[in-house]
Amino acid sequence: MIDLLVSPFVEFAFMRRALLGVVLLSISSCPVGVFLMLRRMSLAGDAMAHAILPGAATGFLLFGLAIVPMTVGGLIAGVLVALGAGAVSRLTVQKEDASMAAFYLISLAVGVLIVSLRGSSVDLMHVLFGSVLALNDEALTLIAGISIATLAALLLLWRGLIAECLDPLFLRSVSGIGPLVHFVFLGLVVLNLVGGFQALGTLLSVGLMMLPAAAARFWTARVDTMCLLAIAIGIASSTAGLLLSYHFTLPSGPAIILSAGLVYFVSILFGGRGILRVLVTRHRHRTA
């Protein structure tokens, strides 16, 4: 059993690079996912994951599968979509969720069209679903930099982020850092989605951000514990997904996300705040 779990990472360098990449992504993106969930912006994260596609596709159109151009393009596109959706929601009658949905649908279509102009269906699948087993040193350096920047920003803005999750109006009334916290956090979301894009593609990168966070919510109410648990779930799910993809010849990205999805469903049922616990508590109250 130990040989089945360890030997793929010992024998193959590409498996070690993949494992390092998803561990770094879990450490970085899972806490961001916790705050997205607490701010009730989970679907906004999904929309922003698609929003980076036109920029990444433009980088691919001009330079091929080069990491730096695709990353810079994805960052620019994500920031533009986030700012555009926010401006529409503030200057018109349309709510932010509707404007974000409109922007992401347009971005997804434009991105697919751009990739199709130059690349093949294989290139399109690479952009949409990533290739975690093909991570190179350049990609790992980028992901490591994103992880360090994210953790540093979270530590600096920790109290502000928690305050904005609980009562953003109160934070704005007592402090001038409310807008700064909001826009820095949106920047962290885009940055981590771009990092996740290198491994999991634009369609699946948000999965590693949100599923571990959603699963951790069923086990604890403390934000710091929730973040640590989400990281642990992300790392465990990523490792399990890589092993499944290796032993059963499955696509690695979907295997990782489905592993996280399995943990999520287990948490729904057996978590300290899950369905079974709620049913047992209700039964005790009725019989008391």
Side-chain angles (χ1 to χ4, degrees):
M1 178 62 72
I2 295 179
D3 186 57
L4 291 175
L5 298 177
V6 176
S7 61
F9 302 112
V10 173
E11 295 178 12
F12 300 103
F14 71 90
M15 288 292 289
R16 292 194 296 271
R17 286 195 295 270
L19 180 62
L20 177 59
V22 291
V23 167
L24 289 172
L25 283 173
S26 298
I27 293 172
S28 176
S29 64
C30 289
V32 174
V34 168
F35 284 105
L36 265 178
M37 178 185 61
L38 294 178
R39 293 159 62 105
R40 300 180 181 179
M41 293 177 60
S42 301
L43 292 179
D46 183 54
M48 292 173 69
H50 301 310
I52 69 175
L53 182 55
T58 301
F60 167 77
L61 181 65
L62 297 176
F63 301 97
L65 292 172
I67 291 176
V68 174
M70 293 179 71
T71 299
V72 173
L75 279 173
I76 294 173
V79 170
L80 289 177
V81 168
L83 293 177
V88 169
S89 66
R90 285 164 174 77
L91 299 176
T92 69
V93 297
Q94 194 166 65
K95 300 296 184 181
E96 189 170 16
D97 59 338
S99 62
M100 186 69 76
F103 272 80
Y104 108 74
L105 288 170
I106 295 169
S107 299
L108 181 61
V110 170
V112 171
L113 182 63
I114 291 174
V115 175
S116 301
L117 290 176
R118 172 175 174 174
S120 63
S121 59
V122 174
D123 296 319
L124 181 60
M125 292 292 288
H126 175 84
V127 172
L128 293 178
F129 298 102
S131 183
V132 65
L133 297 181
L135 289 176
N136 54 26
D137 293 339
E138 190 178 9
L140 289 177
T141 301
L142 172 67
I143 294 172
I146 290 173
S147 299
I148 293 171
T150 300
L151 291 179
L154 289 176
L155 288 174
L156 288 173
L157 300 175
W158 182 262
R159 297 184 66 179
L161 286 169
I162 293 178
E164 194 178 33
C165 289
L166 297 175
D167 194 342
L169 295 178
F170 173 76
L171 178 63
R172 293 173 188 175
S173 66
V174 301
S175 174
I177 68 168
L180 173 65
V181 170
H182 179 73
F183 285 109
V184 170
F185 177 71
L186 289 180
L188 291 178
V189 173
V190 174
L191 196 62
N192 279 272
L193 289 173
V194 169
F197 157 77
Q198 302 296 334
L200 301 172
T202 59
L203 295 185
L204 295 179
S205 59
V206 73
L208 188 60
M209 181 180 289
M210 293 310 308
L211 283 172
R217 187 74 173 89
F218 288 102
W219 296 97
T220 180
R222 290 181 55 88
V223 178
D224 51 356
T225 307
M226 201 181 303
C227 289
L228 293 174
L229 183 56
I231 292 172
I233 293 173
I235 293 174
S237 301
S238 299
T239 305
L242 288 175
L243 289 171
L244 287 172
S245 69
Y246 175 81
H247 290 297
F248 298 99
T249 319
L250 300 173
S252 52
I256 289 171
I257 302 306
L258 285 176
S259 298
L262 178 61
V263 177
Y264 173 70
F265 284 117
V266 170
S267 301
I268 290 176
L269 292 175
F270 302 105
R273 311 176 75 192
I275 293 176
L276 293 182
R277 180 65 177 270
V278 171
L279 293 177
V280 169
T281 302
R282 288 180 179 176
H283 177 72
R284 288 176 179 174
H285 285 183
R286 289 174 182 173
T287 57

